[in-house]
Amino acid sequence: MTEKELLKGCLKEDKTCQKALFDRYAPKMLSVCRRYARHSMEAEDLLQDAFVRVFDKLGTFRGDGSLEGWVRRIVVHACIRNYRKSSFKNEQFGMEQLPEEPVDAEAIGIMSADELIDLINELPDGYRMVFNLFAIEGYGHAEIAEMMGCGESTSRSQLAKARRWLQARITKMEKVAL
């Protein structure tokens, strides 16, 4: 079934088309949710909430880009909304004093993609949100600040702290491997 046929069927509330749309995009979108969630159950809840919104807003899809990209944007925004309403976002982590040390490129090169994703998932929540939005989703600091309800300087600071945290963890892993 083509994307256009799926879209038409979903707009007519055809359950078969709705299931097909969900089945087509849910696995990729669940991996997006996992990057923002604190655990797998939260990721599944985020996915469900996002798809409810996808089906509610499907009539607003203009077809300017791909349907998958549009769905992904809704999923990312659902993850951000969840973060913004959560009380854990104001936790302090004391990572400000970590030294800036270069990370050996070979240390990153020997890590698998899953190990790198696991490492990113260990980031404190605020750092992980900004790191994902900037480094993976490609948003700029102005966009991140607007989405998360903070200043651009906060976004930049959270990204710098995330990088220092990751550098410290990779350096520690590198020393253990030796």
Side-chain angles (χ1 to χ4, degrees):
M1 193 176 299
T2 68
E3 193 173 272
K4 205 171 219 174
E5 292 169 332
L6 263 182
L7 185 59
K8 282 183 182 180
C10 287
L11 289 172
K12 292 178 183 176
E13 297 185 14
D14 179 328
K15 300 295 181 203
T16 305
C17 290
Q18 290 173 332
K19 181 175 178 357
L21 184 122
F22 181 83
D23 290 345
R24 181 178 291 184
Y25 297 120
K28 287 182 184 177
M29 298 309 133
L30 182 58
S31 57
V32 171
C33 291
R34 283 188 175 130
R35 287 200 325 266
Y36 292 94
R38 291 164 47 111
H39 47 78
S40 61
M41 285 178 58
E42 183 181 35
E44 291 169 8
D45 288 345
L46 287 169
L47 180 70
Q48 181 178 356
D49 291 346
F51 266 95
V52 166
R53 193 158 184 88
V54 164
F55 289 117
D56 284 346
K57 300 290 184 184
L58 207 51
T60 66
F61 177 66
R62 295 186 306 240
D64 296 339
S66 72
L67 181 58
E68 181 179 342
W70 183 82
V71 169
R72 181 186 188 95
R73 187 171 180 88
I74 289 177
V75 169
V76 168
H77 282 272
C79 294
I80 292 167
R81 267 193 314 282
N82 179 67
Y83 171 77
R84 287 179 74 180
K85 71 180 182 181
S86 300
S87 62
F88 59 81
K89 70 180 180 181
N90 294 319
E91 295 173 356
Q92 297 294 319
F93 298 98
M95 303 300 290
E96 296 80 15
Q97 303 305 317
L98 285 177
E100 283 282 342
E101 295 179 21
V103 177
D104 185 353
E106 287 184 30
I108 295 173
I110 62 172
M111 293 178 74
S112 72
D114 288 339
E115 288 173 321
L116 192 54
I117 288 170
D118 288 345
L119 191 59
I120 291 168
N121 284 339
E122 289 178 20
L123 281 166
D125 294 313
Y127 301 175
R128 188 178 69 246
M129 294 294 291
V130 173
F131 184 84
N132 279 323
L133 289 169
F134 185 85
I136 297 174
E137 302 295 341
Y139 289 102
H141 289 293
E143 295 170 297
I144 294 169
E146 184 179 325
M147 285 188 276
M148 296 192 58
C150 64
E152 276 187 63
S153 60
T154 301
S155 175
R156 291 180 197 286
S157 170
Q158 292 289 296
L159 180 63
K161 290 174 184 178
R163 287 178 172 161
R164 282 195 301 262
W165 191 93
L166 288 168
Q167 285 176 337
R169 292 299 303 258
I170 291 170
T171 300
K172 184 177 178 181
M173 290 170 63
E174 186 178 51
K175 287 178 182 174
V176 169
L178 296 175

